[in-house]
Structure formats: C-alpha cells, structure tokens
Amino acid sequence: MYRIGRWIADHWVLAIGLMVLIYLFLPIAVVAGLSFNRPSSRLSYDFNAFTTDNWTNLCGPADLCAAVGRSAWIGLLATLGSTVLGTLMAFALARHRFRGRGATNLLIFLPMATPELVMGTSLLALFTSAGLELGFVTILIAHIMFCVSFVVVTVKARLAGMDARLEEAAMDLYASPFQTFRRITLPLVLPGIVAAALLAFSLSFDDFIITNFNSGNTVTFPMYVWGVNQRGIPPQVNVVGTAMFAIALVLVLATNVRRRRGARVA
C-alpha cells in the first residue's frame, strides 16, 4: 500500500488523466459490449447472453442499413464541402489582412456558440420561406453550414503553429509559389485538414436536432434511433456505434504512424 501511495503521489497528474480517460471510454466499452449481447427483451438492456448475430445480421431491423447509408452519404458530402470551404477560409483569415477580417472571425464562431435548437428553427424558417422542399438537400446545406466553423478553427490553429520561415526558405531556393504550397505548406497543414475532416464527419453523422427540423421525410441514423426508441432499440444500433468508433480509431492511429515514420525518415 505504501508503494501504491508513493506512486500516486509521484504520478498524480498521470493518475488523474487515466481516471478521466476511463470515465470517457466507459460508455464506449458498454456500447461495444452490448453489440455482442442478446437482450432478454426489446425494452431491456441487460447483459443476457453472448452472441455474434448482431454483427452478422446487421441489416436485420427494417430500414436500419438505409438510414446508416443515408447518414454516411450526407456526412461524406458535408465533410467534403465544409473541408474545402473551411480550409480556404482558414488560409484567408490566417494569411491575409482585409477589411472586415475581425468581423469575419467573430461570425465564424457564431454557429459554434448558437444553440442547435435556435439554429434548426432558423434554418427551417429560411428553407420554408425560400420554397425549398425539406429533405436530403436541406440536411446537406445545414450540415455544411455548421461544420464549416469547426473546420476553419481547426485548420487555422494548424496554420498559426506553422513556421513561416520554411516557406520563405523554399522560395529562396527558387521554388515557385505552387511548388512551395505543394511540397511545404500542404504537407504541414494536412494533419490539421484531416483532423478537421474527421471532426466534420462525426458532427454530421451524429447530428439530430438540426436534422430533425430540416429533414422532411428523410430519415438519418440518429432519427432512426430516436424513432425506434419507443418500440425498443435493436442491438444492431450498438454494432453501428462500435464500428464507427473502431473506424475512427484506426484512421487516427494510421495518421499518427504515418507521421512518425515521416519524422524518422526526415
């Protein structure tokens, strides 16, 4: 006990960090465990019996795979649109000075600070007054709108940490502006762009409130979960959540491994 107490006294910051990580990952571990569970009833979440049927019969519940595919497709398109727009805006705000730059920086944070309920109702009023039919397109527009802010903040933070002397050295060595961007700027900013894209996809795939106001008859995965909640959530929903977390974890680990290998080669 003395050694344990001494170790905690010497590593209390690490100990607190480990407890926080356990607290954060405990719900994910529960979801992963429930993905291999056969509940005793549709309205029960007890660990009744181990099974792999939930993974092999993922599309068993009606409309589940269609909702997942629809959310994934919207997420990919929203990620592409918001990443391109947000990256261009981040470069403009970080590298150029123009009239209204301060106001633009303030406006970028407004979608992040605005409650989703307010944003969802405002977008609904906008789409209705514009005569747009609620559905896939309105969901996509809404997702791109609120994802852009997160992309701008993430990429801008990466640009702020870059050493401008690297680009100046490349130009001193007679590299053209395009060559400097392709060989120096883009590789250095790419981790921030990838992180922003992953964040945008997660926000889009997970959104419910804004989507619920502007979806019409289009059902995404979060709306499907909300709809079947009264009848009992099928265990395949936990499979989808576990698979999404595993894919995100693999992407993050692959990015870190590639970056470390590149640092060793350099």
Side-chain angles (χ1 to χ4, degrees), residues 122-139:
S122 301
L123 286 170
L124 175 61
L126 174 64
F127 293 143
T128 303
S129 61
L132 293 177
E133 183 180 356
L134 299 180
F136 187 93
V137 175
T138 54
I139 296 175

Side-chain angles (χ1 to χ4, degrees), residues 161-239:
M162 282 181 53
D163 191 350
R165 293 175 296 181
L166 296 174
E167 296 172 300
E168 295 173 357
M171 293 180 183
D172 289 340
L173 295 173
Y174 303 102
S176 65
F178 177 75
Q179 290 174 329
T180 302
F181 175 80
R182 184 170 64 90
R183 296 181 178 274
I184 304 298
T185 308
L186 184 59
L188 292 175
V189 182
L190 189 59
I193 296 176
V194 173
L198 292 175
L199 178 61
F201 181 82
S202 299
L203 292 171
S204 175
F205 190 89
D206 184 61
D207 182 75
F208 170 76
I209 298 177
I210 297 176
T211 303
N212 189 39
F213 278 102
N214 302 279
S215 61
N217 294 324
T218 303
V219 178
T220 60
F221 178 65
M223 295 184 62
Y224 171 85
V225 176
W226 176 74
V228 300
N229 183 44
Q230 299 298 327
R231 305 187 302 271
I233 298 177
Q236 284 84 349
V237 170
N238 299 310
V239 176

Side-chain angles (χ1 to χ4, degrees), residues 6 25 28 46 48 53 110-111 113 115 150 160 165 189 199 240 265:
R6 181 64 180 272
F25 284 95
I28 300 175
D46 60 325
N48 181 48
D53 293 343
L110 286 181
F150 292 91
R165 293 175 296 181
V189 182
L199 178 61
V240 176
V265 172

Side-chain angles (χ1 to χ4, degrees), residues 8-9 52 59 200 207:
I8 294 177
T52 58
C59 297
D207 182 75

Side-chain angles (χ1 to χ4, degrees), residues 17-34:
L18 291 175
M19 288 189 292
V20 171
L21 287 176
I22 293 173
Y23 174 77
L24 291 175
F25 284 95
L26 184 60
I28 300 175
V30 172
V31 170
L34 288 174

